[in-house]
Amino acid sequence: MGKRILVIDDEETVLDALKIILEEMGHQVDTTRDPDRGERMALEEEYDLIITDLRMPGKTGDQIVKSVKAQREHARILVITAYSTDAIAQSALKAGALALIRKPFEISKILSFLEQE
Amino acid sequence: MSSAESRYMETLKAKTEKLLKEVQELQKALGMEQKDLPEETMNRLGEEELTTLEHAYALRVDGHFDLRISEDEMACIGDFYPPSPGGEPLSLEKVQERLQALGVVYGVNWEILGSALFTCNLERQEVLDLFIARGTDPVPEVPEHYQLEEGIQNCKPTLDSDAQRVDFRSVSPFIIVKKGDRLARKVPRRSGVLGRTIRGKDLPFPIERVTFLVPGKNTEEREDGIYAFCDGALKIQENRIQVEPILYITGNVDYHTGNIEFPGDLVVEGAFLDGFQVKVRGSILCKGTIYAANVFCGGNLQVYGGIIGKGKSKVIAEGEVQVKFLENCYLESKGTIYSEAGAFHSVVYTKAEFRTGKKGLVVGGKITAQEGIYIANIGTATSPKTELILGNDFQIQRKLEWIRDKNIDLALRMKEVSQALSRDPDNSELMQTKDALLSHIRQLNEVSQKLIHFLTVREQARLCVQGTVVPGTYVEICNVSYIVPRLMRSVSFYLNRKMGRVEVEPYRVS
């Protein structure tokens, strides 16, 4: 059964690829390159999975995780990062992100978390 | 004009005048010119020369020849001279008579002889050093024996002298054979044939000297030859042909051995040096160190020293791996990896467990172990961070990553096509391309959705650290991430599936 997924990433290539791949699998995918807008969408809409980049202009992924988790405790968030030992990555995990995904994205992890629910 | 030249000219002038004077005096002494010769003398002019010519014609030479026989009486060689005009031509009968006189009774080539006589008589040309008769060499007797297969003989290393560059690493002195390969074929006995001299004398035949190979260890004698009874290295010792299932190298894997590809087990007393490649279907025991070499091992790999990869070494083993330490290398195994002193800046993948000794240390790099990781210490205060990944099948993960890369390419291509279609919505070709791209994405997605069920195989996989683990260490169990926030001692990391997070508890031996 299709899930609702939100992808927040300033890199258009990642957004396009994830949207096409996941939609083809039957999921409903919303994407945005604007982290503030992404944060608002995550708070206003119900998503089964939120995928956010860690480093974006104006806002970091861990800030989004903190903000969303504060209002939606059960939100399931994955964070895309180039370095798994990044301090912000650590902060995102501490704030409640489920897992780190290496750039551009690890489809195995995304599918794995989509399967779990 | 110089004075010397002037003197020379005067002398010359004087000599010339003297010579002219002498000639004038001589003409006066003769007292007549040619027209004044008496008639009788005039009539006899030329007669003498004609007589000389007639005489020369009377001295004609007949065609003749000279025959000689070689010392071993295996050849008769002739020189043939043409007759002069009016001379007797050469005749075959005379040559026959001469051959008979010389005792030549065998091997005369009458055709060549006839042609030589023709050339001499009609073309008036000499024919020299012509073999007109030849004896027959005896054919040696060959006893029944085994002869190495040509393919095996050709296995011996040869270098192309014209090659601009030769990679001597690719030259190996070993002859590798597979079970059932024919190593030597049986050469049946061949009778000898007598030879004959041109004087008709029989020559006895010799017996050919051959190497009498005999079947040895791990070989099988069949009707038509000797066959390998197992995979291994061919060895010929004192004419005994045998197959060694274990390849022993007493020194290093280096330019003496070249790259090695062997179907059995390999034992190396020394080290694997930089740049060499070793591919072995069985197990490997290396009593030295593996440096920046590429190694594929179909069985277990045991290295008494370490693997010092220098960032270039790639070692893949199908079985278990035991090493002293790992440094700057890539190691992949389907079995448990035990590295006594640990791993430094190395990338390790195993489908089983990764373990170190009691004082082992893992610093930097990435350790991926499906079944669990058991390490004494992880990281140092100033070292790069270490990544430890557990629970997933790394081979499935790789396939999924490959699908992802392909899907990204397809997706980007589809975006381009969609944009083109928005400008030209009725373009059927573009529509077909879009459908094809979607179809490929769909197919790849189907595969990845199947594979995902096999990705996580060990949710119970644990990371156990007997000593310390430094902050910043990245731990991932079945895709769930965790970064060690502070220095921890004697702890176990495990996945709390219910809570969906990695948790820590005091170390316990499982």
Side-chain angles (χ1 to χ4, degrees):
Chain A
M1 191 182 161
K3 305 274 171 64
R4 280 201 78 191
I5 303 162
L6 170 65
V7 186
I8 310 163
D9 198 321
D10 59 322
E11 212 173 313
E12 200 177 351
T13 315
V14 176
L15 284 184
D16 289 340
L18 265 177
K19 188 172 172 65
I20 290 170
I21 294 165
L22 294 174
E23 279 186 346
E24 200 289 322
M25 284 179 179
H27 303 297
Q28 185 193 324
V29 184
D30 292 336
T31 60
T32 177
R33 293 175 66 187
D34 177 357
D36 291 321
R37 183 161 175 263
E39 187 182 341
R40 281 198 305 277
M41 287 166 79
L43 291 169
E44 288 165 9
E45 304 283 332
E46 281 285 343
Y47 289 103
D48 296 303
L49 193 64
I50 299 163
I51 301 166
T52 177
D53 190 12
L54 199 61
R55 290 177 182 273
M56 292 173 286
K59 191 160 264 177
T60 55
D62 66 322
Q63 289 174 312
I64 295 175
V65 176
K66 278 177 199 164
S67 160
V68 174
K69 281 297 236 184
Q71 292 188 42
R72 292 182 179 273
E73 196 189 342
H74 299 294
R76 302 168 81 234
I77 309 172
L78 305 180
V79 178
I80 299 173
T81 177
Y83 308 101
S84 57
T85 49
D86 193 317
I88 306 173
Q90 192 173 346
S91 167
L93 285 175
K94 206 172 171 182
L98 283 173
L100 301 182
I101 300 176
R102 281 176 196 78
K103 272 185 180 290
F105 54 84
E106 288 173 278
I107 196 74
S108 58
K109 279 189 187 167
I110 296 169
L111 294 182
S112 180
F113 284 106
L114 286 172
E115 286 282 321
Q116 274 170 26
E117 206 176 51
Chain B
M1 190 182 289
S2 70
S3 59
E5 282 174 341
S6 165
R7 272 200 306 277
Y8 170 74
M9 290 304 290
E10 277 172 22
T11 310
L12 185 64
K13 194 177 169 189
K15 279 182 181 174
T16 310
E17 281 170 358
K18 192 182 169 191
L19 180 64
L20 287 171
K21 203 174 172 184
E22 278 174 12
V23 171
Q24 280 169 359
E25 280 171 8
L26 190 62
Q27 276 176 339
K28 273 183 193 170
L30 286 172
M32 61 186 79
E33 293 178 6
Q34 191 174 317
K35 62 179 181 181
D36 296 325
L37 284 173
E39 192 180 346
E40 188 187 351
T41 308
M42 290 297 283
N43 287 341
R44 277 193 276 118
L45 274 179
E47 277 183 6
E48 197 177 337
E49 287 90 339
L50 284 170
T51 311
T52 310
L53 273 178
E54 236 172 67
H55 181 67
Y57 185 71
L59 284 175
R60 65 185 193 279
V61 178
D62 294 338
H64 60 285
F65 60 91
D66 177 36
L67 302 181
R68 53 191 184 279
I69 290 174
S70 66
E71 256 181 55
D72 60 1
E73 297 185 355
M74 292 299 279
C76 177
I77 303 137
D79 298 328
F80 299 86
Y81 302 94
S84 63
E88 196 73 27
L90 284 162
S91 76
L92 187 61
E93 289 74 24
K94 281 187 179 168
V95 180
Q96 272 177 318
E97 278 170 23
R98 180 81 182 119
L99 284 170
Q100 206 172 355
L102 286 169
V104 178
V105 293
Y106 177 78
V108 178
N109 190 332
W110 298 108
E111 198 177 324
I112 280 185
L113 186 55
S115 168
L117 297 184
F118 181 85
T119 305
C120 260
N121 290 335
L122 295 180
E123 295 173 15
R124 310 270 172 173
Q125 282 179 11
E126 291 178 348
V127 179
L128 304 175
D129 297 326
L130 181 73
F131 280 77
I132 58 170
R134 281 181 197 272
T136 309
D137 289 322
V139 179
E141 179 184 308
V142 180
E144 183 181 279
H145 68 289
Y146 289 114
Q147 189 173 43
L148 275 182
E149 282 290 345
E150 268 180 36
I152 288 173
Q153 288 179 46
N154 296 339
C155 279
K156 286 167 190 167
T158 52
L159 293 176
D160 183 1
S161 55
D162 295 333
Q164 295 292 310
R165 276 181 64 194
V166 175
D167 184 358
F168 287 92
R169 286 175 291 223
S170 63
V171 181
S172 171
F174 306 111
I175 299 170
I176 308 303
V177 296
K178 287 181 181 161
K179 185 181 177 178
D181 280 355
R182 189 167 72 174
L183 310 174
R185 64 183 175 84
K186 189 179 268 180
V187 178
R189 180 184 170 277
R190 189 188 66 197
S191 303
V193 180
L194 290 172
R196 182 168 286 181
T197 69
I198 56 171
R199 283 182 166 144
K201 186 182 160 192
D202 282 342
L203 296 172
F205 54 80
I207 294 173
E208 194 167 281
R209 290 183 67 181
V210 293
T211 306
F212 288 97
L213 294 169
V214 291
K217 199 170 63 178
N218 294 319
T219 64
E220 189 181 17
E221 200 173 6
R222 293 187 203 164
E223 249 183 48
D224 62 337
I226 301 172
Y227 287 75
F229 197 63
C230 66
D231 295 347
L234 178 72
K235 203 170 169 185
I236 300 165
Q237 213 166 25
E238 292 168 353
N239 294 339
R240 188 168 291 276
I241 185 167
Q242 56 197 43
V243 178
E244 294 287 353
I246 298 173
L247 181 62
Y248 283 96
I249 293 173
T250 50
N252 297 329
V253 173
D254 55 16
Y255 285 102
H256 291 96
T257 63
N259 294 333
I260 292 171
E261 194 167 345
F262 187 67
D265 296 337
L266 171 70
V267 176
V268 178
E269 295 286 340
F272 291 30
L273 298 193
D274 291 3
F276 286 89
Q277 296 199 15
V278 176
K279 200 172 173 188
V280 168
R281 214 182 296 158
S283 295
I284 295 176
L285 170 61
C286 170
K287 294 187 180 176
T289 298
I290 295 177
Y291 291 97
N294 284 340
V295 180
F296 175 83
C297 170
N300 296 332
L301 171 68
Q302 190 173 6
V303 188
Y304 286 180
I307 301 177
I308 302 176
K310 303 176 184 178
K312 292 172 187 167
S313 174
K314 193 171 171 186
V315 179
I316 298 172
E318 293 282 304
E320 298 193 342
V321 178
Q322 263 194 50
V323 290
K324 194 89 170 172
F325 64 92
L326 303 168
E327 185 187 288
N328 268 308
C329 69
Y330 174 94
L331 171 63
E332 183 183 310
S333 167
K334 284 184 182 161
T336 293
I337 294 173
Y338 176 79
S339 179
E340 195 181 332
F344 314 107
H345 313 292
S346 295
V347 176
V348 177
Y349 287 92
T350 169
K351 290 186 92 169
E353 293 173 351
F354 177 83
R355 289 178 177 270
T356 69
K358 283 180 183 172
K359 291 182 179 175
L361 171 67
V362 174
V363 175
K366 184 164 108 173
I367 311 287
T368 303
Q370 188 176 299
E371 300 292 322
I373 297 174
Y374 302 86
I375 298 175
N377 297 288
I378 302 173
T380 61
T382 55
S383 64
K385 304 298 179 225
T386 311
E387 292 182 30
L388 302 128
I389 320 288
L390 300 93
N392 282 354
D393 181 330
F394 71 85
Q395 287 179 319
I396 300 279
Q397 189 132 13
R398 266 185 206 159
K399 284 178 190 166
L400 285 163
E401 279 167 17
W402 181 87
I403 290 173
R404 174 209 53 200
D405 291 342
K406 291 290 158 220
N407 258 341
I408 289 175
D409 289 346
L410 291 168
L412 293 177
R413 190 74 63 240
M414 210 180 86
K415 193 185 170 192
E416 283 173 32
V417 173
S418 299
Q419 283 168 347
L421 260 176
S422 65
R423 291 189 296 273
D424 183 8
D426 298 328
N427 189 322
S428 60
E429 202 177 328
L430 281 173
M431 280 192 278
Q432 277 177 7
T433 309
K434 189 181 175 181
D435 288 346
L437 286 166
L438 254 177
S439 162
H440 279 94
I441 291 173
R442 191 171 299 131
Q443 283 168 20
L444 287 176
N445 279 345
E446 277 170 15
V447 176
S448 58
Q449 278 171 320
K450 278 179 193 161
L451 282 175
I452 201 72
H453 296 293
F454 301 101
L455 176 68
T456 296
V457 285
R458 188 76 177 162
E459 288 191 346
Q460 298 79 22
R462 277 175 174 263
L463 165 63
C464 298
V465 187
Q466 279 176 287
T468 58
V469 51
V470 297
T473 302
Y474 178 77
V475 181
E476 188 181 297
I477 304 176
C478 297
N479 299 317
V480 180
S481 308
Y482 180 83
I483 296 176
V484 175
R486 58 186 162 74
L487 187 75
M488 293 180 177
R489 289 177 200 281
S490 228
V491 285
S492 279
F493 298 83
Y494 67 98
L495 175 68
N496 183 334
R497 173 53 74 196
K498 199 174 169 187
M499 299 301 289
R501 65 180 179 229
V502 173
E503 294 187 343
V504 188
E505 65 176 16
Y507 173 76
R508 61 182 172 86
V509 181
S510 59

